[in-house]
């Protein structure tokens, strides 16, 4: 089992920044690729960004490219999502997930999920 706990969400004005954290515990964290997803009210959960076991490979949704940066600190068993130039359409609950499949953007390929953290961007 891998337990994931997100933090860092909040209310921010458009153009502002937030850094989300996802702390992992349990089974070997380094065995998993990690991803960030988000779910806005009335919408399906969607992929935002992912990172491989070593942190050397990163992949992003089009909506996140150029504004968001995913990183991981294996010593701290933590994954981060730095979000800059936030827009009202970024408002959602953000979830981190752990997957045994590198490069996955599919929800069903993630084995473990956190409880989510709310991000609200005001215009």
């Amino acid at each position: 089992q891998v337990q994931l706990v997100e933090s860092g969400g909040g209310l921010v004005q458009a153009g502002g920044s937030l850094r989300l954290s996802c702390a992992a515990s349990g089974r070997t964290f380094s065995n998993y690729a990690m991803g960030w997803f988000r779910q806005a009210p009335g919408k399906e959960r969607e992929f935002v960004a992912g990172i491989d076991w070593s942190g050397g490979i990163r992949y992003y949704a089009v909506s996140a490219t150029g504004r968001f940066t995913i990183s991981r600190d294996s010593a701290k068993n933590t994954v981060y999502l730095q979000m800059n130039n936030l827009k009202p359409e970024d408002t959602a609950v953000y979830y981190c997930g752990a997957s045994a499949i590198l490069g996955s953007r599919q929800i069903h390929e993630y084995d473990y999920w956190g409880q989510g953290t709310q991000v609200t961007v005001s215009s």
Side-chain angles (χ1 to χ4, degrees):
Q1 285 278 37
V2 174
Q3 291 80 40
L4 303 173
V5 179
E6 301 96 334
S7 61
L11 173 64
V12 63
Q13 289 187 333
S17 299
L18 283 174
R19 189 177 80 155
L20 306 183
S21 299
C22 173
S25 61
R27 296 185 67 179
T28 307
F29 174 65
S30 60
N31 288 349
Y32 292 89
M34 300 296 294
W36 284 98
F37 288 71
R38 66 187 183 187
Q39 187 166 15
K43 295 187 177 181
E44 295 186 350
R45 191 174 298 189
E46 64 177 7
F47 172 80
V48 176
I51 191 166
D52 77 320
W53 303 274
S54 68
I57 300 174
R58 309 176 191 192
Y59 35 102
Y60 298 93
V62 172
S63 60
T65 301
R67 299 189 300 127
F68 295 1
T69 301
I70 188 171
S71 62
R72 70 191 294 167
D73 185 336
S74 295
K76 295 182 179 180
N77 285 355
T78 302
V79 176
Y80 303 98
L81 185 67
Q82 177 68 43
M83 304 187 295
N84 299 327
N85 190 22
L86 283 160
K87 304 175 182 180
E89 51 264 42
D90 294 318
T91 295
V93 178
Y94 283 71
Y95 299 89
C96 70
S99 174
I101 301 173
L102 174 61
S104 174
R105 301 169 183 245
Q106 303 298 319
I107 295 170
H108 68 272
E109 293 179 340
Y110 279 74
D111 302 304
Y112 303 101
W113 293 94
Q115 83 290 346
T117 185
Q118 176 70 47
V119 171
T120 303
V121 184
S122 63
S123 57

